[in-house]
Amino acid sequence: MARTRYKEVVDKLAADIRAGRLRPGERLPTHRMLARGHQLALGTATRVYAELEAMGLVSGETGRGTFVRDAAWPRDLGSDLRLAAPGMVDLNYSDPSVPGQAGLLRDALRRLARAGDLEPALHYQPHAGRMHERAIVARHLRSRQLRVEAEQVAIVDGAQHGLAVTLMALLRPGDVVAVDALTYPGFRVLADMRGLELLPVPVGPQGTDVEALAQLCRTRPVRAVYVMPTLHNPLGCVMDEATRQRLVALARVHDLLLIEDAAYAFLVEQPPPPLFQLAPERTIYVSSLSKSVATGLRFGFVAAAPAHIRSIERAIRATTSNTPGLMTAIACGWIEDGTAARLEAQKREDARQRQAIAAEVLAGLPMVCHPGSYFIWLPLGPDCRADRVAATLNEQGIAVSTAEPFATTVHVPGALRLALGSVDVARLRWALERVREAVESGAL
């Protein structure tokens, strides 16, 4: 009987929303009021809203309640990170570049064409990469405070692929993984496809709340922790060394695997030591040249203990067999001749300039960011709905992300994540001015 009432309530609310009887932006009754009004258990009322949210008809915002979604707002832009449509100003996806990169690629291709060792690039490579190329990556990682040998490195098709093969190799469906309450959306997608249980941990200015994680480990069988200690996405925080030491100590007590995502670590000058350096026996370090050199290069690397690398190598074989030889040759050439280091330095300066523009244009708004990062977290006030702001900006040709892709909690905070590196500086300033207008108006 309760199930029948539950379905009836879902169907009635869905019909009212689709017919326009409940208008976009309208606040729905609280869970408790809905339960009382329809004679449902409180947990059942929560299921009603969860099902409507899964249908894309409502959205819940922490501290504010549940609202009817605006049907004009493209749902995919709220629930996932996607490339903006042609002609859009993209503040949604992070694709930083600096002038002259196309010329560098032409030069690299010419050098390869003149080289005498092109034939191997047309054939299968060893699954984890050729040993001399793994040695080049190992030397590159020393500039990031990692002391590794070639045998501890596997070459992958970007950091996303590195995370995928790490989960395939070292975790099983049903394993519990602790993640920050706000985290990288690509990891959420991978964990869902792998059948992992993600449990949120509060995240603050120093990154993951280690005390909350310790409490979680006492009550649940946590197998791994996914963290971004150096330049968190989306918050931009950098975990200090003392917090890293506490995290490592906790991982050793509970035998946790640490998955360290360092995709944006190159943007921080003189950061604390990586988790890998503090606990090499249990840390999987994943990064790439995507953000530091070019997103289209699809060249990444995983550093881990040799036993873990052997398992990861099998997962690489099962997915792509190997990183394409031509891409590997270009990337390793740029590492060796200093091009990668020069581009990293240019992008650090570029990110600082863009943050300065954002600080000027958005002055007075409650931004959360790092002065050297390529993104900003913009919390919104209680009278400003994220999906309406995003929809308004979308109508003006500006793509932004709400908090939905990043949130691992049931309640999603009202906020925007603004990526600063995918557009030229002039259009960035214009777009940020439109963001400010939309936020200040509440996008009503």
Side-chain angles (χ1 to χ4, degrees):
M1 192 70 175
R3 175 174 172 78
T4 302
R5 285 201 304 273
Y6 151 68
K7 283 296 185 184
E8 286 176 352
V9 174
V10 171
D11 291 343
K12 183 180 185 306
L13 288 173
D16 287 346
I17 292 169
R18 288 170 175 144
R21 290 186 290 272
L22 291 173
R23 295 172 297 172
E26 188 169 340
R27 190 195 303 266
L28 296 176
T30 65
H31 293 215
R32 196 171 297 281
M33 290 172 62
L34 183 72
R36 188 181 305 122
H38 292 276
Q39 297 182 331
L40 300 173
L42 181 59
T44 305
T46 299
R47 286 180 60 202
V48 168
Y49 282 152
E51 187 159 326
L52 290 170
E53 188 160 1
M55 296 162 67
L57 298 176
V58 305
S59 63
E61 297 186 17
T62 303
R64 298 193 62 234
T66 303
F67 296 85
V68 177
R69 268 186 182 272
D70 187 344
W73 166 235
R75 187 177 173 212
D76 282 345
L77 290 179
S79 61
D80 200 1
L81 286 181
R82 297 181 182 272
L83 291 171
M88 295 284 287
V89 178
D90 191 0
L91 302 186
N92 180 47
Y93 215 82
S94 183
D95 187 9
S97 64
V98 294
Q101 288 190 212
L104 292 174
L105 179 58
R106 292 189 185 94
D107 292 342
L109 291 172
R110 289 191 191 101
R111 283 199 301 272
L112 281 176
R114 292 193 297 267
D117 190 31
L118 273 180
E119 183 68 22
L122 300 177
H123 299 287
Y124 287 118
Q125 312 293 309
H127 305 308
R130 294 189 290 180
M131 195 57 71
H132 75 279
E133 290 165 336
R134 294 164 70 181
I136 290 170
V137 173
R139 289 194 293 273
H140 173 68
L141 288 173
R142 288 169 199 157
S143 69
R144 299 190 182 188
Q145 303 184 63
L146 271 73
R147 293 189 296 274
V148 291
E149 302 301 325
E151 295 79 5
Q152 296 173 268
V153 171
I155 296 175
V156 292
D157 292 337
Q160 183 71 12
H161 183 227
L163 292 172
V165 294
T166 295
L167 299 193
M168 287 179 65
L170 303 177
L171 297 176
R172 297 178 178 180
D175 278 349
V176 175
V177 180
V179 296
D180 293 329
L182 293 165
T183 195
Y184 167 53
F187 187 82
R188 290 180 56 201
V189 172
L190 289 172
D192 181 63
M193 295 190 71
R194 186 62 177 149
L196 304 175
E197 182 183 358
L198 297 186
L199 295 181
V201 177
V203 57
Q206 293 303 327
T208 305
D209 186 330
V210 178
E211 285 68 32
L213 176 60
Q215 177 60 33
L216 181 64
C217 289
R218 286 192 286 269
T219 58
R220 294 297 310 277
V222 178
R223 173 70 186 93
V225 185
Y226 170 72
V227 285
M228 295 168 280
T230 304
L231 209 65
H232 184 281
N233 178 18
L235 298 177
C237 53
V238 177
M239 186 183 290
D240 64 23
E241 185 169 357
T243 304
R244 296 178 193 224
Q245 293 283 7
R246 291 201 302 275
L247 177 56
V248 164
L250 180 69
R252 286 179 171 143
V253 168
H254 292 279
D255 193 24
L256 306 177
L257 187 71
L258 298 175
I259 303 172
E260 180 174 15
D261 186 337
Y264 289 98
F266 75 97
L267 289 170
V268 180
E269 295 185 277
Q270 299 181 329
L275 296 178
F276 181 90
Q277 201 55 44
L278 300 176
E281 81 285 356
R282 65 183 58 254
T283 303
I284 313 299
Y285 180 98
V286 182
S287 192
S288 72
L289 298 188
S290 294
K291 307 304 182 186
S292 62
V293 175
T295 54
L297 192 61
R298 308 317 305 150
F299 179 85
F301 29 86
V302 177
H308 289 149
I309 287 294
R310 286 192 290 274
S311 298
I312 288 168
E313 188 170 3
R314 286 193 73 230
I316 295 171
R317 180 184 185 279
T319 52
T320 64
S321 185
N322 61 266
T323 301
L326 286 173
M327 290 296 188
T328 302
I330 292 170
C332 288
W334 280 345
I335 291 173
E336 284 197 298
D337 69 11
T339 297
R342 287 194 298 274
L343 286 171
E344 287 185 354
Q346 289 176 37
K347 289 187 179 181
R348 281 192 289 271
E349 179 59 28
D350 181 59
R352 284 193 290 268
Q353 291 176 359
R354 290 167 184 268
Q355 282 287 343
I357 292 170
E360 176 189 339
V361 175
L362 303 177
L365 297 181
M367 296 186 297
V368 178
C369 58
H370 184 280
S373 76
Y374 268 116
F375 39 82
I376 287 172
W377 187 253
L378 194 63
L380 302 178
D383 297 322
C384 186
R385 287 184 50 210
D387 62 336
R388 296 300 298 273
V389 173
T392 296
L393 292 169
N394 190 66
E395 291 169 359
Q396 298 178 53
I398 302 168
V400 300
S401 175
T402 68
E404 285 190 52
F406 302 91
T408 59
T409 51
V410 174
H411 295 291
V412 178
L416 302 178
R417 202 290 297 257
L418 307 178
L420 307 180
S422 298
V423 298
D424 63 68
V425 170
R427 285 199 299 167
L428 175 65
R429 181 180 289 275
W430 174 85
L432 291 174
E433 288 170 350
R434 304 291 82 73
V435 169
R436 183 182 190 102
E437 291 170 1
V439 169
E440 289 182 335
S441 70
L444 299 177

PDB file of all heavy atoms in Angstrom, residues 46-66:
ATOM      1  N   THR A  46      11.531  11.223   1.158  1.00  0.00           N
ATOM      2  CA  THR A  46      12.857  11.503   0.608  1.00  0.00           C
ATOM      3  C   THR A  46      13.055  10.761  -0.713  1.00  0.00           C
ATOM      4  O   THR A  46      13.623  11.295  -1.673  1.00  0.00           O
ATOM      5  CB  THR A  46      13.947  11.092   1.620  1.00  0.00           C
ATOM      6  OG1 THR A  46      13.775  11.858   2.820  1.00  0.00           O
ATOM      7  CG2 THR A  46      15.339  11.335   1.054  1.00  0.00           C
ATOM      8  N   ARG A  47      12.550   9.530  -0.786  1.00  0.00           N
ATOM      9  CA  ARG A  47      12.640   8.758  -2.033  1.00  0.00           C
ATOM     10  C   ARG A  47      11.846   9.416  -3.146  1.00  0.00           C
ATOM     11  O   ARG A  47      12.240   9.379  -4.318  1.00  0.00           O
ATOM     12  CB  ARG A  47      12.135   7.334  -1.804  1.00  0.00           C
ATOM     13  CG  ARG A  47      13.095   6.439  -1.019  1.00  0.00           C
ATOM     14  CD  ARG A  47      12.499   5.055  -0.836  1.00  0.00           C
ATOM     15  NE  ARG A  47      12.232   4.410  -2.115  1.00  0.00           N
ATOM     16  CZ  ARG A  47      11.363   3.417  -2.278  1.00  0.00           C
ATOM     17  NH1 ARG A  47      10.656   2.986  -1.246  1.00  0.00           N
ATOM     18  NH2 ARG A  47      11.189   2.869  -3.467  1.00  0.00           N
ATOM     19  N   VAL A  48      10.721  10.026  -2.815  1.00  0.00           N
ATOM     20  CA  VAL A  48       9.905  10.712  -3.828  1.00  0.00           C
ATOM     21  C   VAL A  48      10.738  11.797  -4.501  1.00  0.00           C
ATOM     22  O   VAL A  48      10.824  11.888  -5.730  1.00  0.00           O
ATOM     23  CB  VAL A  48       8.637  11.311  -3.194  1.00  0.00           C
ATOM     24  CG1 VAL A  48       7.944  12.267  -4.176  1.00  0.00           C
ATOM     25  CG2 VAL A  48       7.677  10.216  -2.761  1.00  0.00           C
ATOM     26  N   TYR A  49      11.384  12.646  -3.685  1.00  0.00           N
ATOM     27  CA  TYR A  49      12.178  13.737  -4.251  1.00  0.00           C
ATOM     28  C   TYR A  49      13.411  13.208  -4.976  1.00  0.00           C
ATOM     29  O   TYR A  49      13.835  13.766  -5.994  1.00  0.00           O
ATOM     30  CB  TYR A  49      12.563  14.727  -3.164  1.00  0.00           C
ATOM     31  CG  TYR A  49      11.442  15.668  -2.775  1.00  0.00           C
ATOM     32  CD1 TYR A  49      11.374  16.204  -1.493  1.00  0.00           C
ATOM     33  CD2 TYR A  49      10.461  16.020  -3.688  1.00  0.00           C
ATOM     34  CE1 TYR A  49      10.353  17.070  -1.133  1.00  0.00           C
ATOM     35  CE2 TYR A  49       9.439  16.884  -3.337  1.00  0.00           C
ATOM     36  CZ  TYR A  49       9.384  17.408  -2.065  1.00  0.00           C
ATOM     37  OH  TYR A  49       8.368  18.265  -1.722  1.00  0.00           O
ATOM     38  N   ALA A  50      13.982  12.118  -4.461  1.00  0.00           N
ATOM     39  CA  ALA A  50      15.158  11.540  -5.124  1.00  0.00           C
ATOM     40  C   ALA A  50      14.788  11.043  -6.519  1.00  0.00           C
ATOM     41  O   ALA A  50      15.543  11.222  -7.487  1.00  0.00           O
ATOM     42  CB  ALA A  50      15.730  10.400  -4.290  1.00  0.00           C
ATOM     43  N   GLU A  51      13.600  10.435  -6.642  1.00  0.00           N
ATOM     44  CA  GLU A  51      13.184   9.930  -7.952  1.00  0.00           C
ATOM     45  C   GLU A  51      12.875  11.084  -8.901  1.00  0.00           C
ATOM     46  O   GLU A  51      13.234  11.038 -10.079  1.00  0.00           O
ATOM     47  CB  GLU A  51      11.963   9.023  -7.798  1.00  0.00           C
ATOM     48  CG  GLU A  51      11.568   8.332  -9.090  1.00  0.00           C
ATOM     49  CD  GLU A  51      10.730   7.090  -8.876  1.00  0.00           C
ATOM     50  OE1 GLU A  51      10.950   6.386  -7.868  1.00  0.00           O
ATOM     51  OE2 GLU A  51       9.863   6.815  -9.720  1.00  0.00           O
ATOM     52  N   LEU A  52      12.238  12.126  -8.410  1.00  0.00           N
ATOM     53  CA  LEU A  52      11.965  13.290  -9.250  1.00  0.00           C
ATOM     54  C   LEU A  52      13.264  13.965  -9.693  1.00  0.00           C
ATOM     55  O   LEU A  52      13.375  14.449 -10.818  1.00  0.00           O
ATOM     56  CB  LEU A  52      11.081  14.285  -8.495  1.00  0.00           C
ATOM     57  CG  LEU A  52       9.631  13.846  -8.255  1.00  0.00           C
ATOM     58  CD1 LEU A  52       8.942  14.801  -7.290  1.00  0.00           C
ATOM     59  CD2 LEU A  52       8.865  13.769  -9.576  1.00  0.00           C
ATOM     60  N   GLU A  53      14.262  13.972  -8.787  1.00  0.00           N
ATOM     61  CA  GLU A  53      15.563  14.558  -9.153  1.00  0.00           C
ATOM     62  C   GLU A  53      16.241  13.713 -10.219  1.00  0.00           C
ATOM     63  O   GLU A  53      16.841  14.239 -11.156  1.00  0.00           O
ATOM     64  CB  GLU A  53      16.447  14.699  -7.918  1.00  0.00           C
ATOM     65  CG  GLU A  53      17.722  15.477  -8.170  1.00  0.00           C
ATOM     66  CD  GLU A  53      18.350  16.027  -6.906  1.00  0.00           C
ATOM     67  OE1 GLU A  53      17.809  15.784  -5.807  1.00  0.00           O
ATOM     68  OE2 GLU A  53      19.378  16.702  -7.019  1.00  0.00           O
ATOM     69  N   ALA A  54      16.146  12.392 -10.094  1.00  0.00           N
ATOM     70  CA  ALA A  54      16.734  11.508 -11.099  1.00  0.00           C
ATOM     71  C   ALA A  54      16.056  11.699 -12.456  1.00  0.00           C
ATOM     72  O   ALA A  54      16.687  11.498 -13.504  1.00  0.00           O
ATOM     73  CB  ALA A  54      16.609  10.056 -10.651  1.00  0.00           C
ATOM     74  N   MET A  55      14.795  12.094 -12.451  1.00  0.00           N
ATOM     75  CA  MET A  55      14.063  12.349 -13.691  1.00  0.00           C
ATOM     76  C   MET A  55      14.381  13.724 -14.268  1.00  0.00           C
ATOM     77  O   MET A  55      13.925  14.072 -15.366  1.00  0.00           O
ATOM     78  CB  MET A  55      12.553  12.225 -13.429  1.00  0.00           C
ATOM     79  CG  MET A  55      12.110  10.821 -13.022  1.00  0.00           C
ATOM     80  SD  MET A  55      10.476  10.797 -12.220  1.00  0.00           S
ATOM     81  CE  MET A  55       9.414  11.283 -13.579  1.00  0.00           C
ATOM     82  N   GLY A  56      15.147  14.511 -13.519  1.00  0.00           N
ATOM     83  CA  GLY A  56      15.515  15.838 -14.000  1.00  0.00           C
ATOM     84  C   GLY A  56      14.440  16.883 -13.804  1.00  0.00           C
ATOM     85  O   GLY A  56      14.488  17.955 -14.416  1.00  0.00           O
ATOM     86  N   LEU A  57      13.480  16.620 -12.908  1.00  0.00           N
ATOM     87  CA  LEU A  57      12.358  17.535 -12.729  1.00  0.00           C
ATOM     88  C   LEU A  57      12.531  18.480 -11.551  1.00  0.00           C
ATOM     89  O   LEU A  57      11.901  19.550 -11.522  1.00  0.00           O
ATOM     90  CB  LEU A  57      11.059  16.733 -12.564  1.00  0.00           C
ATOM     91  CG  LEU A  57      10.663  15.868 -13.766  1.00  0.00           C
ATOM     92  CD1 LEU A  57       9.419  15.054 -13.443  1.00  0.00           C
ATOM     93  CD2 LEU A  57      10.444  16.725 -15.008  1.00  0.00           C
ATOM     94  N   VAL A  58      13.326  18.110 -10.561  1.00  0.00           N
ATOM     95  CA  VAL A  58      13.547  18.967  -9.397  1.00  0.00           C
ATOM     96  C   VAL A  58      15.034  18.982  -9.073  1.00  0.00           C
ATOM     97  O   VAL A  58      15.807  18.147  -9.548  1.00  0.00           O
ATOM     98  CB  VAL A  58      12.748  18.493  -8.156  1.00  0.00           C
ATOM     99  CG1 VAL A  58      11.269  18.366  -8.478  1.00  0.00           C
ATOM    100  CG2 VAL A  58      13.297  17.180  -7.616  1.00  0.00           C
ATOM    101  N   SER A  59      15.419  19.937  -8.240  1.00  0.00           N
ATOM    102  CA  SER A  59      16.790  19.967  -7.720  1.00  0.00           C
ATOM    103  C   SER A  59      16.738  20.366  -6.260  1.00  0.00           C
ATOM    104  O   SER A  59      15.923  21.200  -5.862  1.00  0.00           O
ATOM    105  CB  SER A  59      17.662  20.952  -8.504  1.00  0.00           C
ATOM    106  OG  SER A  59      17.183  22.276  -8.358  1.00  0.00           O
ATOM    107  N   GLY A  60      17.587  19.735  -5.459  1.00  0.00           N
ATOM    108  CA  GLY A  60      17.658  20.061  -4.042  1.00  0.00           C
ATOM    109  C   GLY A  60      18.893  20.875  -3.753  1.00  0.00           C
ATOM    110  O   GLY A  60      19.960  20.609  -4.295  1.00  0.00           O
ATOM    111  N   GLU A  61      18.764  21.900  -2.919  1.00  0.00           N
ATOM    112  CA  GLU A  61      19.893  22.748  -2.566  1.00  0.00           C
ATOM    113  C   GLU A  61      20.015  22.811  -1.051  1.00  0.00           C
ATOM    114  O   GLU A  61      19.035  23.073  -0.347  1.00  0.00           O
ATOM    115  CB  GLU A  61      19.731  24.155  -3.151  1.00  0.00           C
ATOM    116  CG  GLU A  61      19.717  24.151  -4.675  1.00  0.00           C
ATOM    117  CD  GLU A  61      19.711  25.552  -5.271  1.00  0.00           C
ATOM    118  OE1 GLU A  61      20.048  26.506  -4.537  1.00  0.00           O
ATOM    119  OE2 GLU A  61      19.371  25.694  -6.451  1.00  0.00           O
ATOM    120  N   THR A  62      21.213  22.571  -0.550  1.00  0.00           N
ATOM    121  CA  THR A  62      21.461  22.520   0.882  1.00  0.00           C
ATOM    122  C   THR A  62      20.993  23.800   1.571  1.00  0.00           C
ATOM    123  O   THR A  62      21.354  24.902   1.159  1.00  0.00           O
ATOM    124  CB  THR A  62      22.957  22.302   1.150  1.00  0.00           C
ATOM    125  OG1 THR A  62      23.363  21.114   0.492  1.00  0.00           O
ATOM    126  CG2 THR A  62      23.227  22.196   2.640  1.00  0.00           C
ATOM    127  N   GLY A  63      20.178  23.639   2.603  1.00  0.00           N
ATOM    128  CA  GLY A  63      19.739  24.773   3.401  1.00  0.00           C
ATOM    129  C   GLY A  63      18.592  25.558   2.806  1.00  0.00           C
ATOM    130  O   GLY A  63      18.073  26.484   3.440  1.00  0.00           O
ATOM    131  N   ARG A  64      18.191  25.203   1.558  1.00  0.00           N
ATOM    132  CA  ARG A  64      17.136  25.986   0.906  1.00  0.00           C
ATOM    133  C   ARG A  64      15.911  25.163   0.578  1.00  0.00           C
ATOM    134  O   ARG A  64      14.796  25.665   0.583  1.00  0.00           O
ATOM    135  CB  ARG A  64      17.674  26.633  -0.376  1.00  0.00           C
ATOM    136  CG  ARG A  64      18.823  27.609  -0.116  1.00  0.00           C
ATOM    137  CD  ARG A  64      19.111  28.448  -1.351  1.00  0.00           C
ATOM    138  NE  ARG A  64      17.957  29.250  -1.696  1.00  0.00           N
ATOM    139  CZ  ARG A  64      17.378  29.261  -2.899  1.00  0.00           C
ATOM    140  NH1 ARG A  64      17.843  28.495  -3.852  1.00  0.00           N
ATOM    141  NH2 ARG A  64      16.335  30.021  -3.136  1.00  0.00           N
ATOM    142  N   GLY A  65      16.086  23.901   0.265  1.00  0.00           N
ATOM    143  CA  GLY A  65      14.944  23.064  -0.030  1.00  0.00           C
ATOM    144  C   GLY A  65      15.006  22.442  -1.405  1.00  0.00           C
ATOM    145  O   GLY A  65      16.065  22.353  -2.028  1.00  0.00           O
ATOM    146  N   THR A  66      13.840  22.007  -1.893  1.00  0.00           N
ATOM    147  CA  THR A  66      13.732  21.354  -3.193  1.00  0.00           C
ATOM    148  C   THR A  66      12.929  22.255  -4.118  1.00  0.00           C
ATOM    149  O   THR A  66      11.871  22.767  -3.733  1.00  0.00           O
ATOM    150  CB  THR A  66      13.039  19.985  -3.048  1.00  0.00           C
ATOM    151  OG1 THR A  66      13.772  19.187  -2.109  1.00  0.00           O
ATOM    152  CG2 THR A  66      12.980  19.255  -4.377  1.00  0.00           C
TER     153      THR A  66
END
